[in-house]
Amino acid sequence: GGVKFNNCRFQGGLNIYGGKTEVMNCFATAGDGSAIIVGSGAAAQDIAIYNSAAEITHATLPAVDVATSVSSFEMKGCQIVNLGGGPALRDQEPGPINPLHLYTHNYIKGPSAAAGGPGGMPAVVNPPAATNAMAFHQNTVWGHVGLLGSTQVHANNSIYGLMNWLQGGAGAGMDIYGNVQYNITPQALPDSWND
């Protein structure tokens, strides 16, 4: 804990287990695990990731994996990409928590919304019965978001797939929270940069 990373490259993944950690302008990837792991199940707080990229190619593991017992966490302006068919982002916190985990202005690319249709692997995964653990605002997502039966706080996202959290509902066009859903018609969007 108590560490700041700026302009770093993590080729074997970045595991953040301590609090008061800040990551800015970094790139993380991993061959046999998640690119970024936040928390180990033990309490960790005050963690921020800004303007960074996480990319993997994996069928089951997420590019970014946030464990339970992580508090005061935020991820802003990041690229989170999984090119292997697995999720891009997984937040395992069941909630409710206060403050919420904040995800804003991120580009998140997981499995295509066409792969498996509405029931396919989401780009953003959380526990099925989670309640009020994530604040998810102004993100661009290529793939589905969330699991049915879960309740999160979300608004103003552009989703090339479906918003499956209870507030949003399924369907085309804009939901009542300002999330624009492109009705699982995948458009071509770029992958994360490779340095």
Side-chain angles (χ1 to χ4, degrees):
V3 179
K4 289 190 177 186
F5 296 102
N6 186 17
N7 195 26
C8 298
R9 178 182 174 130
F10 304 98
Q11 287 186 224
L14 170 62
N15 297 340
I16 303 171
Y17 296 150
K20 298 192 182 302
T21 301
E22 187 175 275
V23 178
M24 299 182 346
N25 307 314
C26 294
F27 178 80
T29 189
D32 58 354
S34 295
I36 299 176
I37 297 173
V38 179
S40 62
Q45 64 183 20
D46 301 325
I47 299 169
I49 303 173
Y50 305 127
N51 304 321
S52 296
E55 180 184 84
I56 64 169
T57 301
H58 203 282
T60 56
L61 292 176
V64 174
D65 201 5
V66 180
T68 60
S69 302
V70 172
S71 61
S72 296
F73 171 73
E74 59 188 18
M75 191 165 206
K76 299 178 183 177
C78 296
Q79 274 187 3
I80 309 163
V81 176
N82 187 339
L83 302 174
L89 170 65
R90 177 172 66 181
D91 191 318
Q92 300 181 63
E93 177 59 53
I97 58 172
N98 189 12
L100 302 170
H101 292 175
L102 175 61
Y103 299 92
T104 186
H105 295 96
N106 298 297
Y107 172 61
I108 301 167
K109 185 173 184 182
S112 167
M121 171 71 75
V124 179
V125 176
N126 60 294
T131 302
N132 293 342
M134 298 169 66
F136 198 80
H137 306 297
Q138 298 177 332
N139 299 289
T140 298
V141 182
W142 198 76
H144 301 313
V145 176
L147 298 175
L148 291 173
S150 181
T151 302
Q152 303 296 354
V153 179
H154 55 82
N156 302 321
N157 298 287
S158 293
I159 302 158
Y160 292 81
L162 297 175
M163 175 63 79
N164 288 323
W165 287 326
L166 288 180
Q167 293 100 317
M174 185 181 293
D175 68 18
I176 62 173
Y177 296 91
N179 299 297
V180 178
Q181 301 173 90
Y182 293 95
N183 201 28
I184 75 169
T185 301
Q187 304 297 318
L189 294 178
D191 300 330
S192 173
W193 43 266
N194 291 292
D195 66 350

